[in-house]
Amino acid sequence: MDFLKKLGIEEKNFGASTGQNWFETTSEGELKIYSPVDGKLVGSVYQASQNDYEKIIQQATEAFKFWRTVPAPKRGEIVRQIGLRLREYKDALGRLVSYEMGKSLQEGWGEVQEMIDICDFAVGQSRMLYGFTMHSERPKHRMYEQYHPLGIVGIVTAFNFPVAVWSWNAMIAAVCGDVCLWKPSSKTPLSAIATQKIISEVLKENNLPEGIFSLIIGRGATVGERMLEDKRVPLISITGSVEVGRHAAQVVAKRLGRTILELGGNNAIIITENADLKLAIPAVVFGAVGTAGQRCTTTRRLIIHENVYDKVKESLIKAYQSLRIGNPLDEKNHMGPLIDKAAVELFVRALEEVKKEGGKIIYGGEVLTGPGYESGCYVKPALVEAENHYKIVQEETFAPILYLIKYSGSVENAIELQNNVPQGLSSSIFTNNLREAETFLSAWGSDCGIANVNIGTSGAEIGGAFGGEKETGGGRESGSDAWKAYMRRQTNTINFGTDLPLAQGIKFEIGE
């Protein structure tokens, strides 16, 4: 395929790099990557060793000593150039993301556009790493606070956004003066290798040292655990399951390191009787089937007022019947495959479980076979009538299953249902009633990190901080003031007088 050649993806690829330099370790096994689109071998990756990890960390440590001395706007200039280079590779990289992961081509291109957008955002942020000045209680004293680079930032990403989530972290961390070590999902390593090769061009053109942006692909037991335990990595950003995040948080906390956790979502849209259904239905469908239900912000629960329940259900069935499922590189298709057959098994198992608990499948739920579906990873998205308290509804199934849940009475009843799950990432309400909307956004409303009105749960912009509460982990990435997580905070006091007054009026006198 032409896009593989343009991106420098070979039949066999190495899994560790400090920038332009690739370590040629072949002793740790080979990951063979098959596309969920057609089941064909895309390429393979030689996994990195613990020795590779150690070399990368040592190089990153030295690179940080240089990178932190570069003025932040100059660091922003490098990120600006990375954004420009990504524009040149947008089509090819977007196609690789789509082919390796299975999301639609529009979403693949959109993911690369997110990378470009966060580069643009980070360039501006490089001139706005603000501290604050405050008044001292002591005469002729000045107090202020400032932010300094933190060090090596470990970035662990998931398969569903194989490149964008790395950029949310890496581009912000880079302008903050940090260096980054990226461990991508072993299910989508080729997209990471392609990205590393793209940015290496910019690093080389600017004569920058190895180790500012590093990549390592390897077993969790070999390199993943080592990264969690390594005191030389003060911050680790992890996107993954609640189970993975809970383990990582415990290991990193034991050494008093920092984590940014982006974990599970069990996102709901509330449709009140005052909703504009022409807005709501398309938002629900995209939220539920976009990326084949494999987004952390995927709409998994639809909480519908009883007065419009039947109308919404009929509209959704009609909309689902019009969905085109197939090769995601064909722009006419709405939905591609799940990431692998294991994901298909989870899809089937969840539907069996919800039926046991009393749920009713009203559309879809089949595994698709026949021409175009040879990979065995295609399914027909499911609509299921269920109740919020079902055990399976309380869990996050990474698949296109939408649970329809009926509520009656006031919007507070709907909000209570929405909040009554362990996760707290994204949420949405569709209503034209101002009081309902403001109640949803109030302190006693949605308990999620993202709360939207008259748009869906999926498709967050990079300008806002991204993340959630409860079992979602509490971390924040991307925009707003999320940059502060990648820096160490310092309070400074300067005495420009000839006396030494103490705070709180304390007297401490010694003889001359």
Side-chain angles (χ1 to χ4, degrees):
M1 296 182 177
D2 290 343
F3 60 84
L4 295 176
K5 184 177 180 181
K6 182 173 183 179
L7 294 167
I9 299 301
E10 308 287 346
E11 182 179 338
K12 294 180 182 292
N13 305 271
F14 295 109
S17 170
T18 54
Q20 297 97 50
N21 182 40
W22 291 81
F23 299 163
E24 298 183 357
T25 299
T26 59
S27 61
E28 299 300 311
E30 192 175 357
L31 283 173
K32 292 188 176 181
I33 307 304
Y34 295 91
S35 171
V37 174
D38 53 20
K40 294 180 180 179
L41 180 67
V42 187
S44 66
V45 181
Y46 290 112
Q47 297 187 104
S49 66
Q50 287 190 3
N51 188 46
D52 292 334
Y53 173 85
E54 185 60 32
K55 289 179 180 178
I56 287 174
I57 286 292
Q58 290 177 7
Q59 189 67 59
T61 300
E62 292 303 310
F64 174 61
K65 293 176 182 177
F66 161 77
W67 190 238
R68 66 186 176 183
T69 68
V70 176
K74 296 295 185 183
R75 299 191 294 251
E77 168 58 21
I78 301 303
V79 171
R80 186 187 72 84
Q81 293 178 36
I82 291 173
L84 292 176
R85 196 58 50 91
L86 286 169
R87 285 173 168 86
E88 297 175 17
Y89 286 95
K90 178 179 176 179
D91 179 68
L93 186 56
R95 289 179 184 275
L96 174 56
V97 167
S98 179
Y99 188 58
E100 185 178 29
M101 185 267 153
K103 63 176 58 178
S104 73
L105 184 55
Q106 285 291 334
E107 291 181 82
W109 285 331
E111 184 165 346
V112 182
Q113 187 61 50
E114 276 194 54
M115 302 174 78
I116 294 166
D117 291 346
I118 199 64
C119 285
D120 291 349
F121 183 94
V123 173
Q125 191 71 72
S126 70
R127 294 179 182 271
M128 297 186 294
L129 302 176
Y130 297 135
F132 295 95
T133 300
M134 61 283 290
H135 288 275
S136 172
E137 66 184 64
R138 290 168 283 184
K140 295 185 178 180
H141 280 60
R142 180 166 69 88
M143 290 179 62
Y144 69 97
E145 62 182 26
Q146 59 183 341
Y147 291 83
H148 290 307
L150 190 59
I152 301 172
V153 174
I155 304 170
V156 180
T157 58
F159 74 84
N160 59 334
F161 280 85
V163 292
V165 171
W166 166 80
S167 69
W168 293 358
N169 288 273
M171 296 302 102
I172 299 298
V175 299
C176 288
D178 300 322
V179 298
C180 299
L181 172 56
W182 182 12
K183 184 184 182 301
S185 168
S186 59
K187 294 183 179 183
T188 52
L190 298 176
S191 294
I193 290 171
T195 300
Q196 182 76 1
K197 290 187 174 184
I198 291 170
I199 63 174
S200 70
E201 297 176 4
V202 175
L203 300 175
K204 184 177 181 179
E205 290 166 4
N206 287 273
N207 297 312
L208 291 171
E210 299 284 331
I212 296 174
F213 295 103
S214 299
L215 174 71
I216 191 159
I217 298 164
R219 295 185 182 90
T222 304
V223 298
E225 286 299 311
R226 186 73 188 90
M227 186 187 297
L228 296 180
E229 296 168 355
D230 199 334
K231 292 182 179 180
R232 294 168 295 180
V233 185
L235 172 65
I236 297 184
S237 174
I238 294 181
T239 301
S241 68
V242 174
E243 182 181 9
V244 168
R246 183 176 284 116
H247 169 72
Q250 291 172 347
V251 175
V252 176
K254 189 174 181 179
R255 62 175 174 86
L256 299 181
R258 301 187 198 175
T259 53
I260 297 173
L261 301 176
E262 299 291 351
L263 310 176
N266 194 349
N267 316 295
I269 292 178
I270 295 171
I271 297 183
T272 79
E273 59 185 330
N274 300 301
D276 181 344
L277 297 185
K278 290 182 179 179
L279 280 179
I281 298 302
V284 170
V285 176
F286 175 73
V289 307
T291 321
Q294 298 170 118
R295 291 188 178 210
C296 51
T297 55
T298 290
T299 307
R300 308 202 181 280
R301 295 175 297 138
L302 191 61
I303 301 169
I304 313 164
H305 194 277
E306 60 182 357
N307 289 348
V308 293
Y309 183 88
D310 289 338
K311 186 175 183 180
V312 169
K313 181 172 75 171
E314 292 170 6
S315 297
L316 284 174
I317 292 173
K318 184 177 180 180
Y320 270 51
Q321 289 171 339
S322 71
L323 290 174
R324 294 185 295 273
I325 304 165
N327 189 322
L329 293 172
D330 183 346
E331 293 184 68
K332 295 178 182 178
N333 290 325
H334 296 105
M335 190 182 105
L338 294 175
I339 185 65
D340 53 26
K341 291 181 181 178
V344 174
E345 291 174 8
L346 287 175
F347 171 79
V348 172
R349 200 178 309 146
L351 292 175
E352 291 174 351
E353 184 63 31
V354 76
K355 286 191 291 184
K356 289 178 183 177
E357 294 193 70
K360 179 182 178 184
I361 299 173
I362 58 175
Y363 182 83
E366 302 91 353
V367 178
L368 298 175
T369 58
Y373 304 130
E374 290 86 357
S375 70
C377 297
Y378 292 85
V379 302
K380 185 176 287 188
L383 294 171
V384 182
E385 292 185 303
E387 294 186 25
N388 200 64
H389 63 83
Y390 291 171
K391 183 176 182 295
I392 192 65
V393 176
Q394 291 283 310
E395 299 173 1
E396 179 191 40
T397 303
F398 232 49
I401 301 172
L402 180 63
Y403 300 114
L404 277 59
I405 300 164
K406 186 185 295 186
Y407 84 96
S408 59
S410 69
V411 72
E412 284 86 354
N413 295 335
I415 293 170
E416 183 176 359
L417 286 170
Q418 179 208 276
N419 291 347
N420 192 19
V421 292
Q423 311 84 357
L425 178 53
S426 188
S427 59
S428 176
I429 188 170
F430 277 83
T431 179
N432 286 333
N433 183 297
L434 179 63
R435 290 177 176 173
E436 289 180 331
E438 290 295 335
T439 298
F440 179 75
L441 298 177
S442 71
W444 53 94
S446 170
D447 65 1
C448 295
I450 299 170
N452 299 326
V453 176
N454 291 332
I455 63 170
T457 61
S458 197
E461 297 181 32
I462 57 90
F466 180 90
E469 303 300 324
K470 301 189 295 189
E471 286 192 358
T472 302
R476 293 297 185 274
E477 298 169 339
S478 196
S480 185
D481 66 347
W483 62 270
K484 293 180 179 178
Y486 304 90
M487 306 196 82
R488 59 182 178 89
R489 189 170 186 164
Q490 186 178 80
T491 300
N492 309 105
T493 306
I494 300 171
N495 178 1
F496 58 93
T498 57
D499 297 320
L500 190 67
L502 300 179
Q504 293 85 48
I506 294 173
K507 301 295 183 182
F508 185 78
E509 298 179 356
I510 59 175
E512 295 184 2

